[in-house]
Amino acid sequence: MIRWGGFGGGAAALVALLALASAEHAQATVYTLASPDATVVGEDQSVETVYEDTLYDLARKYSLGSEELIRVNPGVDPWLPGAGRKLVVPGRHILPPGPREGIIVNLPEHRLYYFPKPKRHGPIEVITYPVSIGKMDWRTPLGTTRVIGKQKNPTWYPPESVRKEHAEAGDPLPASVPSGPDNPLGLFAMRLAAGNGTYLIHGTNNPIAVGLAVTHGCIRMYPDDVSALFPLISVGTQVRLINQPVKVAWVDGELMLEAHPPVDAQGQSFEPDIDQFAEMLRTAVGDTTVAIHWDYAREVLQKADGVIATVALEADDPNASEPVPAPVADPVPATTPAAPPSDTPAGDAVKQPGR
């Protein structure tokens, strides 16, 4: 079940104002899991643009990062898509691996998942939002940490390294920036124990950049998203930062694959190594006997656009039928190069090596 809700937000930077002028409030997604073992939430959609639309507006409306929507609609001008353009809106997500508690941020996915503590005998819910992550020398650290502080209307104290960078670029920063339209932290900030308290989950005065590697190591959210999440989080909440570009899930005997561009040590996305990605898929499958459509799987891994695809069927015997790739609406001609040949014929049932 999906519940949609809108929350107000604001920004004053000119580029942000341009995006906000015609954007509807973001639709925060709350998913109630059908069972504790559920692994996939949401649904993909197809929308038709109107004259006023930009991909930045639509990304915020559908709770996506800007690059997330642009990547799955190649060849579409993000500022001027034009009226009547059919767009794919990727809304399905494979839940990240590991314990379903607290906050989980998957860096390659540029996405945050929050698992509220379920009420007694109540269902498990997950709330998910797009985020920005760290770049350059300000690496968002991996591992498990926790929220150690919360602040409304925070004052920003730029680190010395950041002030030096801006000074060298001819854009000097003051020692502190009070709450307001010029504050890049937005109106809400949650401090993490990682990095001696230097890392934050916070809002932004530049919503267009959400979904990109453009922060100084912090995790940046849309203003309306962080205003919704902030009151739900208590000091001490666990936060797990993971690097999982390839995610898989078994659903009714079908192997679902979701791939995102990998990120380097500075949080920058780069082209995937298909052999590495294929090995991740083999490891994820483990010793399950499956019929993998390797040509199609490699195509999905090459695109790494976050759209979930069925790439294998669980097989009881080596003569299992070949899985048929689920059709995905593609409003523009594909630009992905042909998948490289595989040593394993498409559809052959294989016994994958154990982890």
Side-chain angles (χ1 to χ4, degrees):
M1 179 178 72
I2 305 174
R3 297 204 302 270
W4 300 97
F7 302 89
L14 177 59
V15 69
L17 284 174
L18 290 174
L20 288 171
S22 61
E24 297 182 35
H25 293 316
Q27 297 175 324
T29 45
V30 182
Y31 300 101
T32 298
L33 304 189
S35 72
D37 299 326
T39 53
V40 179
V41 296
E43 60 183 0
D44 297 330
Q45 301 179 59
S46 177
V47 300
E48 185 172 329
T49 58
V50 297
Y51 178 76
E52 298 83 1
D53 281 336
T54 73
L55 264 59
Y56 300 101
D57 297 337
L58 293 172
R60 187 172 182 182
K61 176 181 177 181
Y62 290 101
S63 193
L64 299 170
S66 54
E67 191 65 27
E68 195 174 3
L69 186 59
I70 292 169
R71 184 179 293 118
V72 81
N73 293 285
V76 178
D77 187 322
W79 285 109
L80 296 171
R85 195 71 181 260
K86 295 282 188 180
L87 299 178
V88 174
V89 178
R92 283 204 302 171
H93 309 287
I94 294 176
L95 296 178
R100 294 178 178 179
E101 57 182 277
I103 292 172
I104 303 172
V105 178
N106 187 16
L107 303 186
E109 194 177 354
H110 291 84
R111 182 158 291 275
L112 179 153
Y113 296 86
Y114 172 56
F115 292 88
K117 288 185 178 180
K119 296 179 180 178
R120 184 179 178 84
H121 304 304
I124 298 175
E125 292 186 329
V126 60
I127 310 172
T128 180
Y129 302 105
V131 298
S132 295
I133 63 171
K135 70 166 188 174
M136 297 174 64
D137 295 329
W138 301 280
R139 181 181 179 183
T140 301
L142 295 173
T144 301
T145 182
R146 68 185 190 283
V147 175
I148 60 173
K150 298 173 58 181
Q151 187 177 6
K152 292 183 180 179
N153 302 310
T155 296
W156 182 42
Y157 298 95
E160 188 59 38
S161 57
V162 176
R163 295 185 66 193
K164 180 180 179 181
E165 177 207 0
H166 278 256
E168 291 174 350
D171 179 30
L173 290 174
S176 64
V177 179
S179 178
D182 296 325
N183 191 321
L185 301 183
L187 301 179
F188 300 91
M190 292 169 277
R191 188 170 301 278
L192 305 182
N196 296 319
T198 58
Y199 294 99
L200 304 171
I201 299 175
H202 62 83
T204 180
N205 63 348
N206 183 19
I208 285 178
V210 170
L212 305 176
V214 294
T215 80
H216 289 169
C218 290
I219 298 163
R220 182 187 300 182
M221 303 178 66
Y222 285 125
D224 31 347
D225 286 351
V226 73
S227 71
L229 181 64
F230 186 85
L232 304 179
I233 304 301
S234 59
V235 172
T237 296
Q238 176 180 286
V239 178
R240 192 156 54 90
L241 306 173
I242 64 175
N243 184 356
Q244 197 81 29
V246 175
K247 298 189 296 180
V248 298
W250 286 104
V251 178
D252 297 329
E254 297 183 354
L255 182 66
M256 317 297 286
L257 171 63
E258 178 183 342
H260 298 267
V263 294
D264 61 20
Q266 287 75 42
Q268 297 296 301
S269 298
F270 61 94
E271 289 296 318
D273 181 310
I274 300 306
D275 290 335
Q276 274 189 347
F277 265 27
E279 187 58 37
M280 290 181 188
L281 175 58
R282 291 187 182 95
T283 300
V285 169
D287 57 3
T288 305
T289 301
V290 295
I292 294 181
H293 191 300
W294 274 108
D295 287 343
Y296 183 59
R298 284 176 173 265
E299 180 183 340
V300 174
L301 294 170
Q302 178 73 56
K303 283 185 176 182
D305 59 7
V307 176
I308 297 177
T310 299
V311 297
L313 296 177
E314 191 167 13
D316 294 326
D317 60 72
N319 297 315
S321 59
E322 176 180 326
V324 179
V328 177
D330 192 351
V332 295
T335 58
T336 304
S342 170
D343 295 333
T344 307
D348 280 4
V350 295
K351 185 81 170 181
Q352 299 296 348
R355 288 181 175 82

